[in-house]
Amino acid sequence: MPNISRDEVAHLAKLARLGVTDDELDTFAPQLDVILESVAKVSEVVGTEQDVPPTSHAVELTNVFREDEVRQGLTQEQALSGAPAAEDGRFRVPRILGEEQ
Amino acid sequence: MIKQTAAELAARIHAGEISSVDVTQAHLDRITKVDDQLNAFLHVDAEGALAAAAKVDADVAAGKPPVSPLAGVPLALKDVMTTKGVPTTCGSKTLEGWLPPYDATVTRKLREAGVPILGKTNMDEFAMGSSTENSAYGPTRNPWDTSRIPGGSGGGSSAAIASFEAPLAIGTDTGGSIRQPGAVTGTVGVKPTYGGVSRYGLVAFSSSLDQAGPCARTVLDAALLHEIIAGHDPMDSTSINAPVPNVVEAAKQGANGDLTGVKVGVVTEFSGEGYQQGVLDSFQAAVEQLRALGAEVVEISCPSFDYALPAYYLIAPSECSSNLARFDAMRYGLRVGDDGDHSAEDVMSASREAGFGAEVKRRIMIGTYALSSGYYDAYYGSAQQVRTLITRDFAAAYEQVDVLVSPTTPTTAFKIGERVDDPMAMYLADLCTIPANLAGNAAMSVPSGLADGLPVGLQIMAPALADDRMYRVAAAYESARGPVLNEIPEL
């Protein structure tokens, strides 16, 4: 099924917010192709089996609730302690809106 | 002193024969002496470790009972566990210099148990790899042969205990990252039942598979550490609210060497092409040993295990592509290219490009692909169905036998550099370990001897919440097999 082109790798990288260089595209395209070709084997076995529900998790999960009461969390100082940039007790980020917006 | 087991060290510390400070200092000295050759540690916290040791010594001097069976015995912690105020990098440039504002539950439990934490061990970036070559801080070397890999992702932890830098270590196992490093370094590595040990503060790679566990030189030491870190944690919603299996008792019972009445299944899928002859020979000898100890041995076929590797290499990357979205260069971690002219999205892409290594990028892209509309059913959906088939195969097998056994890895430690450019060859190192992760079962590796001068591991698997069963079998086997690590060459 797969046949991953450089353009497709560039598209995946964009979706995943990953900058990639031209050299990386050359390396990744054949590698991802081999990996995806190999893992595509999963559809073979399932195709021959009837009625196989998917398993997303090994443990049966139920929602966990707790009393809605105030508990000690991180202080503002702790929460900002690893921030690349902070200002006035908040995370400072690059602009998030384009010029035309 | 550094060659003693954790149980022996604990007994002597608690009896006041030796001090925890001396024991901790001896291991710090060992790290200073040999770690240049191994690169097992990314960060050494001598001050913190010695302070914790001094507290244990003060308790002993005051006649107080030890706070835990391992109080005073130092440990090496995989750098994927957060440690408050102590660097935690996950082997990634993205987290270089990050000081977590909180302790992982495992870290907290170790502190409360009086276990001095010597430092943080090297690993494949975000635990993605089978050789520790994917660390941004250089590979760790195998103390048996420093031209070879120590396994991965937890190669720093396995190398540290094999080289007597630490008697105990913590690893995490998503597809074999505790057991495979254990196998190739001649040490014991345990992946507890999924949900048995809290994931709070374990930096997430693949949340439905990640599980922390003990690394040690003996089965009893692993069991003692297992009991300290295990147990329900309200901070992890996938943590199992059930009593911790009595693994210490099981290890002690097993040490009497009697396996009468125990049924062992040999997984027939894990042999043949791709397996090193020496590994298969060692495995056969181990199976004969189990039989000699009184176990009944039968062959068991688990046909879906042939599809475990491809299923894993879809599920783990899919979950990783989502989990690693948190590294967005906004709240913590590396940020590059924020010059005022670029948007948040540009900065995010540039930061992730600079902060992540090749394997992490590959897995994020594979996951992104597998979860895309149009491909989801064929890839991620099918992989989840394979997961069901594997769980069914395990369930059927455990109706017939108490534990399953296989080689832990198809080969002994390979050369550094040998598989870096061939991701699929690297992935094959996890062939035998992955099924237990997909089913959430317990599994461990114990040394089964040497092949061509390098260690081989015997994998013992058990149903979920029956971790004690595998400890009993492992301890019995260990007592009959005798030590393997005494054959390690001097560094």
Side-chain angles (χ1 to χ4, degrees):
Chain A
M1 179 170 16
N3 202 327
I4 304 296
S5 65
R6 279 175 105 260
D7 286 351
E8 279 172 293
V9 175
H11 179 63
L12 288 173
K14 188 175 187 311
L15 289 175
R17 305 290 182 269
L18 270 179
V20 280
T21 62
D22 280 352
D23 281 352
E24 282 181 315
L25 289 178
D26 289 335
T27 317
F28 286 147
Q31 285 177 339
L32 296 193
D33 198 51
V34 169
I35 295 168
L36 287 167
E37 189 76 48
S38 172
V39 296
K41 197 180 166 190
V42 291
S43 51
E44 290 171 19
V45 64
V46 173
T48 64
E49 297 272 344
Q50 300 296 314
D51 184 32
V52 181
T55 298
S56 61
H57 211 279
V59 177
E60 261 190 53
L61 294 176
T62 49
N63 203 2
V64 178
F65 294 97
R66 70 168 174 86
E67 291 304 311
D68 184 16
E69 54 197 21
V70 178
R71 299 193 306 189
Q72 181 65 48
L74 296 179
T75 62
Q76 187 182 57
E77 194 187 342
Q78 284 175 324
L80 291 170
S81 64
E87 202 174 300
D88 299 334
R90 285 167 286 182
F91 295 102
R92 194 183 66 73
V93 302
R95 66 179 163 79
I96 53 169
L97 300 176
E99 296 294 332
E100 73 279 12
Q101 288 166 299
Chain B
M1 186 198 287
I2 56 172
K3 296 204 170 174
Q4 292 176 4
T5 69
E8 288 163 355
L9 289 170
R12 295 183 64 198
I13 292 167
H14 302 165
E17 290 171 28
I18 48 173
S19 72
S20 173
V21 166
D22 284 350
V23 171
T24 302
Q25 188 60 54
H27 287 95
L28 291 167
D29 291 347
R30 176 71 176 170
I31 294 168
T32 306
K33 186 167 168 240
V34 302
D35 208 53
D36 280 355
Q37 298 173 62
L38 301 176
N39 196 31
F41 282 85
L42 293 176
H43 179 80
V44 176
D45 183 18
E47 201 181 319
L50 289 168
K55 197 161 175 300
V56 173
D57 290 338
D59 281 354
V60 174
K64 291 187 197 162
V67 290
S68 84
L70 289 175
V73 181
L75 167 144
L77 185 58
K78 189 177 181 183
D79 206 27
V80 71
M81 284 290 176
T82 59
T83 41
K84 188 174 179 178
V86 176
T88 301
T89 67
C90 295
S92 180
K93 283 285 173 213
T94 297
L95 288 178
E96 190 168 13
W98 182 53
L99 300 176
Y102 72 107
D103 272 339
T105 295
V106 166
T107 308
R108 174 178 61 76
K109 287 185 173 228
L110 291 168
R111 294 194 201 285
E112 288 169 2
V115 173
I117 298 171
L118 295 164
K120 308 294 290 291
T121 54
N122 202 3
M123 55 185 282
D124 285 300
E125 185 175 9
F126 290 110
M128 298 176 204
S130 309
S131 68
T132 316
E133 290 168 287
N134 296 332
S135 167
Y137 305 98
T140 297
R141 293 168 181 277
N142 191 324
W144 286 83
D145 174 350
T146 53
S147 70
R148 293 179 186 273
I149 60 104
S153 65
S157 286
S158 65
I161 51 174
S163 65
F164 307 101
E165 291 179 320
L168 298 167
I170 295 291
T172 58
D173 192 312
T174 305
S177 288
I178 292 175
R179 289 163 287 159
Q180 183 253 2
V184 301
T185 57
T187 57
V188 177
V190 180
K191 184 201 92 71
T193 297
Y194 180 87
V197 177
S198 170
R199 290 186 299 108
Y200 179 68
L202 189 183
V203 178
F205 153 26
S206 182
S207 304
S208 80
L209 304 167
D210 296 341
Q211 184 58 214
C215 313
R217 291 195 289 264
T218 69
V219 174
L220 177 62
D221 285 358
L224 289 164
L225 183 55
H226 187 133
E227 282 205 343
I228 285 173
I229 59 173
H232 180 244
D233 180 14
M235 298 301 279
D236 172 3
S237 63
T238 59
S239 158
I240 295 177
N241 196 353
V244 177
N246 198 338
V247 293
V248 172
E249 199 50 47
K252 287 179 178 166
Q253 185 199 354
N256 71 14
D258 183 8
L259 290 180
T260 309
V262 175
K263 284 189 88 172
V264 174
V266 173
V267 181
T268 54
E269 277 72 18
F270 291 148
S271 68
E273 205 189 332
Y275 287 78
Q276 192 177 321
Q277 192 54 47
V279 168
L280 294 176
D281 293 345
S282 178
F283 177 65
Q284 271 317 316
V287 170
E288 285 314 311
Q289 186 73 260
L290 293 173
R291 215 191 294 268
L293 292 168
E296 184 188 336
V297 179
V298 296
E299 291 200 334
I300 297 270
S301 174
C302 298
S304 68
F305 285 14
D306 286 339
Y307 296 88
L309 190 82
Y312 174 85
Y313 278 101
L314 284 165
I315 291 168
S318 294
E319 293 189 16
C320 119
S321 71
S322 163
N323 267 326
L324 269 64
R326 76 192 59 196
F327 298 104
D328 56 9
M330 299 299 137
R331 295 153 301 158
Y332 61 109
L334 181 72
R335 179 188 289 183
V336 301
D338 185 14
D339 55 8
D341 290 336
H342 288 88
S343 69
E345 198 174 315
D346 292 340
V347 171
M348 220 179 272
S349 293
S351 301
R352 286 161 65 84
E353 176 179 12
F356 292 151
E359 181 62 16
V360 171
K361 289 177 183 167
R362 274 193 291 268
R363 295 209 195 180
I364 288 174
M365 288 192 284
I366 293 284
T368 305
Y369 183 86
L371 295 175
S372 323
S373 96
Y375 298 109
Y376 182 95
D377 286 342
Y379 286 98
Y380 187 64
S382 298
Q384 287 187 309
Q385 287 177 289
V386 170
R387 199 168 179 181
T388 305
L389 296 175
I390 286 167
T391 306
R392 286 180 184 172
D393 275 358
F394 268 121
Y398 289 133
E399 277 180 19
Q400 298 175 63
V401 296
D402 299 305
V403 295
L404 291 168
V405 293
S406 76
T408 308
T409 61
T411 69
T412 52
F414 44 91
K415 292 267 188 189
I416 288 173
E418 196 179 308
R419 300 189 188 179
V420 243
D421 297 323
D422 186 351
M424 277 317 296
M426 186 70 86
Y427 296 172
L428 285 173
D430 304 329
L431 196 60
C432 313
T433 45
I434 281 171
N437 296 88
L438 290 173
N441 291 344
M444 68 190 286
S445 180
V446 278
S448 67
L450 303 181
D452 311 315
L454 292 168
V456 181
L458 167 69
Q459 179 174 230
I460 307 171
M461 297 173 269
L465 293 173
D467 306 45
D468 48 335
R469 274 192 216 171
M470 66 183 185
Y471 271 98
R472 180 183 166 198
V473 174
Y477 173 71
E478 177 186 60
S479 70
R481 168 68 190 77
V484 170
L485 209 56
N486 58 349
E487 294 183 48
I488 194 168
E490 286 291 326
L491 278 170

